[in-house]
């Protein structure tokens, strides 16, 4: 039972850690997004889009969904942008596993 708990906790940590690149406190700049990286973009109408950025210009973000569909998002419609942070996820997961293994119940 303890092993299953550790596995589930590690998987949750790996999938949940993301770095906030753009938010209301961090407005979008010309170098906020990098080409050919994957981002999760939330628009002002609360729509969430996971895409790979292919092209940027002054007004739009051009990307491709996992399904292969091309998407164009207006920069003025972006509320928040998050980027997956695998390194932090692994560190948090390892710390959680170490805490469960080494702390006696």
């Amino acid at each position: 039972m303890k092993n299953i708990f550790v596995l589930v906790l590690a998987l949750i940590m790996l999938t949940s850690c993301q770095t906030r690149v753009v938010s209301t406190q961090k407005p979008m700049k010309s170098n906020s997004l990098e080409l050919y990286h994957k981002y999760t973009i939330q628009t002002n109408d609360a729509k969430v889009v996971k895409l790979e950025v292919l092209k940027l210009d002054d007004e739009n973000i051009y990307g491709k969904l996992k399904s292969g569909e091309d998407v164009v998002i207006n920069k003025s419609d972006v509320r928040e942008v998050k980027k997956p942070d695998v390194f932090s996820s692994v560190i948090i997961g390892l710390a959680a596993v170490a805490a469960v293994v080494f702390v006696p119940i």
Side-chain angles (χ1 to χ4, degrees):
M1 184 66 177
K2 189 175 182 182
N3 291 336
I4 293 173
F5 175 72
V6 171
L7 180 63
V8 170
L9 185 63
L11 288 174
I12 289 172
M13 293 296 175
L14 284 174
T15 58
S16 66
C17 289
Q18 294 184 347
T19 302
R20 194 169 279 130
V21 178
V22 175
S23 66
T24 54
Q25 288 79 26
K26 293 171 69 175
M28 186 174 295
K29 298 178 184 175
S30 61
N31 62 350
S32 295
L33 303 177
E34 297 178 32
L35 294 179
Y36 307 109
H37 285 148
K38 296 180 190 238
Y39 294 95
T40 302
I41 299 175
Q42 182 180 17
T43 60
N44 289 328
D45 60 353
K47 182 179 173 186
V48 177
V49 180
K50 294 182 180 184
L51 57 83
E52 178 181 2
V53 175
L54 299 177
K55 180 181 169 188
L56 296 168
D57 63 20
D58 292 337
E59 297 178 7
N60 296 318
I61 301 168
Y62 302 90
K64 185 173 273 196
L65 300 176
K66 195 173 190 178
S67 64
E69 180 183 346
D70 291 330
V71 177
V72 178
I73 299 175
N74 194 332
K75 285 185 178 179
S76 63
D77 292 338
V78 173
R79 176 189 296 174
E80 184 176 76
V81 179
K82 293 180 183 177
K83 179 180 178 181
D85 191 359
V86 176
F87 180 72
S88 296
S89 301
V90 170
I91 296 298
I92 292 170
L94 289 175
V97 169
V100 170
V101 171
F102 294 116
V103 175
I105 296 178

